[in-house]
Amino acid sequence: MSNFLRWCGAGIRPLLILGVLGLVLWATTISSAYQMRLFTIVGIYALLALGYQFIFGHAGALALTQGSFFGVGAYVTGILGSRYGLGGEYTLLLSVALPLALAAIVAAPVLRLDSHYFALATLGIGQVLLLVAIAWQDLTGGSNGLSGIPGLSVLGYEIKKGPGIMIAVWCCVAAGALLSWRITRGLYGAALQISRENPVAAQAIGIDTARLRYATFLLSAMFAGLAGALYAHSIRVVSVEALEFPIMVACLTITVLGGRTHIAGAILGAILIVNLPEWFRVMEKYYLIAYGVALLAAIIVAPYGLIGLLEQWRAKLWPERPAALPEPAALPDKSPVVGQAGTLLEVQDVRKRFGGLKALDGVSFKVAYGEILGLIGPNGSGKTTMLNVITGIYRADTGSVLLNGEAIHEKASFTIAGSGIARTFQNINLVDDMAVLDNVAVARYGFEKAGLSQALGADWHEAAWQRARANAVYLLDALGIAHTASARAGGLAYGIKRKVEIARALALEPSLLLLDEPAAGLNEDEQIDLADRLRTFSRKGLSILVIEHNMPFLMPLAQRIICLDHGVVIAEGTPAEIRANPLVIEAYLGAPEGPQP
Ligand SMILES: Nc1ncnc2c1ncn2[C@@H]1O[C@H](COP(=O)(O)OP(=O)(O)OP(=O)(O)O)[C@@H](O)[C@H]1O
């Protein structure tokens, strides 16, 4: 019980609980049919926006199809209800199923597109649906629409006009909110966040970002279809207005106003968008101007939405002590491969061009089990490109990359990460607004078999997320930065961020770790400390490929070094051999300092 009370008292939850009680009280005091209708419309909009938060808020894609899926849901109910007299068990189900099927079909081509192209494509889909509805008169009633849609009934039980439909709509809002809450928490929620903020990093930790985007698009369409069905059952007429752009604009405004990822934001936004024009009506002919100004002001003052603003104020006025960290849980080391002879990674004659520039020109090398291999070379010599080819971010023009003898050069980045290659980035790729602990824990996504079914199903107590966080504490401790676990990643010093990235990479239990300039931003003591820790990991069976310009860091660390110049391997050998190699000295290291003869 005390745990539950503590949960209720955390963050802005006391306010949200008061808000819910206020809503219930408000609903019980409504007496006029008009007010009841408004309250029902608020619920329908809240449901629409709750769904829109998946694709727009959580996946970060500006889809402009939500209003169209709403219209399709409304038409399905309109047609089935007015023409065939079917009950809610059919209308609601099919109003969800058709937008879902439509979303599944259009997702494949449009979800590949980036930002504004994606928005434009989704806008185009809406226009096509609108034209179809106008042209297909026999089915949709054309521009006259459909009337005589029956009220909601389920299995022959009639749900009363007024309070009945209002309660039914708000029950759907409550169920939708619960569903959304389940989906957007824990490992799945964290995976959504990293995929939105940093898709390259998400793929590098084994998350299939396209699949997540696809799932969020389908979820949005389902919520929109249900909202459309409830709209048709409560208004009892459907016209092309249901497919027109103002519905989409209202949905977008609600989501931005309330908060793109806050469940309460969808409800608050819907209350405001429906009621503000009513509240401003006392201003007579100026009411629309006042309404517009109020919306604009809210969006400027609260870029993360009104609920986001509340959270910011709460954090500033009543800062909370960070929750206690979970007990660290160790990950298995790679001891079975310790001492194993042979090649873990083999790069064979890899070439990569960018236009006329040969970034990699026939690069071949091997990394042995448990080896620490250095990769050096002047700026622009192709080192990072090589890492990007190994990890599947770039596809080699020719040549191959083998891991344990198996070709991986045609695999997707997230699959390569899942097969045991983890990496860090030259330009750090953490999620700034996430706690350090969660930045690391999210990399356990694949190992915990996280996904939509886990989020919705058995794992009610989020045991997978708790295990992932416990592993993350262990890894942060292994890198000597456990004290930063509760901090926001964005606020950390550069050197610590690099270590957090290493901890995140290690959470993948890799057999090969690729590090891109890990010592940059670290002072001398920190460099010595990091080198010691890397040696420890290597002794436990981890192979490491390190790109580094910092020779005092790399030379004592690496067992072997490869030097690239203009995309070509110009030397390969022990650190001592590399230091003495005239080609390397000329292209990169320069002559050693000291008295000249
Ligand atoms: N996506 C890209 N598009 C076009 N050119 C690219 C791209 N990525 C890398 N290059 C070019 O390929 C060459 C090799 O770049 P790369 O980043 O691999 O060098 P690097 O050895 O890692 O350099 P640094 O030490 O400065 O990080 C450079 O000339 C770079 O401008």
Side-chain angles (χ1 to χ4, degrees):
M1 186 63 187
S2 68
N3 270 352
F4 178 70
L5 286 180
R6 209 171 304 132
W7 183 87
C8 290
I12 57 164
R13 279 187 203 129
L15 279 179
L16 297 182
I17 292 167
L18 278 179
V20 171
L21 292 177
L23 261 184
V24 174
L25 203 66
W26 184 6
T28 54
T29 57
I30 292 175
S31 51
S32 80
Y34 177 68
Q35 287 298 331
M36 221 168 266
R37 201 174 161 125
L38 274 191
F39 205 72
T40 307
I41 297 292
V42 169
I44 290 170
Y45 270 132
L47 198 58
L48 182 68
L50 269 177
Y52 192 51
Q53 285 183 341
F54 286 114
I55 183 71
F56 178 63
H58 295 289
L62 180 58
L64 297 175
T65 33
Q66 191 72 352
S68 312
F69 292 142
F70 172 89
V72 171
Y75 266 105
V76 170
T77 289
I79 294 163
L80 296 179
S82 67
R83 303 243 155 126
Y84 306 101
L86 293 182
E89 64 276 19
Y90 297 103
T91 56
L92 297 191
L93 213 65
L94 289 169
S95 292
V96 171
L98 201 73
L100 174 68
L102 209 59
I105 295 165
V106 297
V110 297
L111 282 179
R112 285 167 199 269
L113 302 172
D114 283 329
S115 57
H116 44 287
Y117 294 108
F118 172 73
L120 275 178
T122 53
L123 187 63
I125 291 165
Q127 290 308 302
V128 171
L129 289 171
L130 177 63
L131 291 176
V132 169
I134 294 171
W136 202 346
Q137 285 211 8
D138 294 346
L139 188 70
T140 63
S143 29
N144 295 329
L146 298 164
S147 55
I149 301 166
L152 184 60
S153 68
V154 181
L155 300 170
Y157 176 76
E158 291 255 340
I159 289 170
K160 274 201 187 143
K161 213 172 143 183
I165 187 81
M166 182 179 84
I167 292 170
V169 164
W170 279 93
C171 284
C172 290
V173 175
L178 185 65
L179 196 74
S180 171
W181 182 69
R182 287 297 315 161
I183 292 173
T184 55
R185 290 165 55 82
L187 258 177
Y188 197 73
L192 284 171
Q193 192 176 350
I194 190 171
S195 301
R196 175 184 72 229
E197 305 287 329
N198 204 323
V200 172
Q203 296 204 29
I205 55 169
I207 295 172
D208 183 352
T209 52
R211 190 180 166 137
L212 288 195
R213 239 154 90 108
Y214 188 69
T216 52
F217 193 51
L218 299 195
L219 281 165
S220 294
M222 289 168 71
F223 274 64
L226 181 61
L230 292 169
Y231 169 82
H233 275 306
S234 52
I235 303 292
R236 312 263 179 117
V237 288
V238 176
S239 70
V240 285
E241 264 177 35
L243 276 167
E244 278 173 348
F245 202 54
I247 300 272
M248 184 63 243
V249 174
C251 176
L252 192 58
T253 315
I254 291 169
T255 316
V256 172
L257 190 62
R260 290 157 58 132
T261 55
H262 295 97
I263 292 171
I267 297 169
L268 180 62
I271 292 173
L272 293 177
I273 204 109
V274 173
N275 287 290
L276 273 183
E278 300 296 317
W279 296 337
F280 283 127
R281 224 173 262 283
V282 286
M283 299 183 152
E284 298 180 351
K285 62 184 177 185
Y286 300 111
Y287 93 94
L288 266 182
I289 299 176
Y291 169 66
V293 169
L295 277 186
L296 206 63
I299 288 168
I300 292 170
V301 174
Y304 296 105
L306 293 173
I307 299 293
L309 188 69
L310 269 183
E311 278 191 339
Q312 272 177 5
W313 283 349
R314 203 267 321 144
K316 225 179 256 170
L317 297 174
W318 296 283
E320 283 178 332
R321 262 192 300 148
L325 296 180
E327 282 299 307
L331 291 175
D333 58 41
K334 299 276 165 190
S335 21
V337 299
V338 173
Q340 185 173 342
T343 302
L344 172 66
L345 182 89
E346 183 165 6
V347 173
Q348 294 175 335
D349 197 24
V350 163
R351 287 164 206 275
K352 178 73 190 168
R353 270 174 176 272
F354 295 108
L357 178 88
K358 289 180 182 169
L360 296 173
D361 194 10
V363 175
S364 301
F365 64 89
K366 293 178 181 176
V367 183
Y369 289 105
E371 180 182 29
I372 302 182
L373 177 69
L375 185 57
I376 62 171
N379 294 119
S381 56
K383 304 180 297 294
T384 299
T385 304
M386 189 65 249
L387 243 60
N388 287 339
V389 167
I390 295 172
T391 52
I393 292 177
Y394 294 157
R395 191 146 287 185
D397 300 334
T398 59
S400 46
V401 181
L402 310 175
L403 181 72
N404 280 317
E406 192 192 327
I408 56 166
H409 52 274
E410 296 205 324
K411 292 190 174 168
S413 190
F414 69 89
T415 316
I416 293 173
S419 62
I421 299 185
R423 67 169 295 173
T424 64
F425 294 87
Q426 189 175 357
N427 304 315
I428 289 160
N429 273 333
L430 294 171
V431 180
D432 285 351
D433 277 334
M434 229 187 208
V436 165
L437 185 67
D438 297 348
N439 260 290
V440 177
V442 66
R444 299 296 295 165
Y445 185 83
F447 282 89
E448 290 293 348
K449 304 200 169 15
L452 204 48
S453 51
Q454 187 188 69
L456 287 174
D459 197 12
W460 185 255
H461 292 292
E462 294 174 357
W465 182 231
Q466 302 312 334
R467 280 194 299 273
R469 297 179 97 229
N471 292 145
V473 176
Y474 169 79
L475 290 166
L476 290 172
D477 198 34
L479 281 150
I481 50 168
H483 59 284
T484 65
S486 304
R488 214 182 121 261
L492 297 178
Y494 204 53
I496 307 262
K497 284 186 185 176
R498 293 212 171 272
K499 286 189 172 175
V500 177
E501 271 208 337
I502 296 175
R504 183 177 67 183
L506 290 172
L508 290 174
E509 297 181 31
S511 44
L512 176 63
L513 176 63
L514 311 176
L515 301 175
D516 202 344
E517 300 192 24
L522 269 57
N523 65 33
E524 213 167 306
D525 288 343
E526 288 171 332
Q527 288 175 28
I528 293 169
D529 175 70
L530 177 63
D532 281 345
R533 291 179 197 272
L534 293 178
R535 274 188 210 100
T536 308
F537 298 136
S538 152
R539 276 196 294 272
K540 288 183 179 174
L542 180 69
S543 304
I544 306 176
L545 173 61
V546 196
I547 293 181
E548 196 48 78
H549 286 292
N550 181 335
M551 292 306 117
F553 171 78
L554 186 69
M555 289 284 177
L557 175 68
Q559 288 140 5
R560 234 166 23 99
I561 292 179
I562 289 173
C563 183
L564 282 181
D565 187 26
H566 292 100
V568 175
V569 176
I570 57 166
E572 187 171 347
T574 63
E577 286 165 350
I578 289 290
R579 199 183 276 124
N581 186 306
L583 286 176
V584 180
I585 289 170
E586 192 192 328
Y588 182 54
L589 291 181
E593 285 177 19
Q596 301 296 317

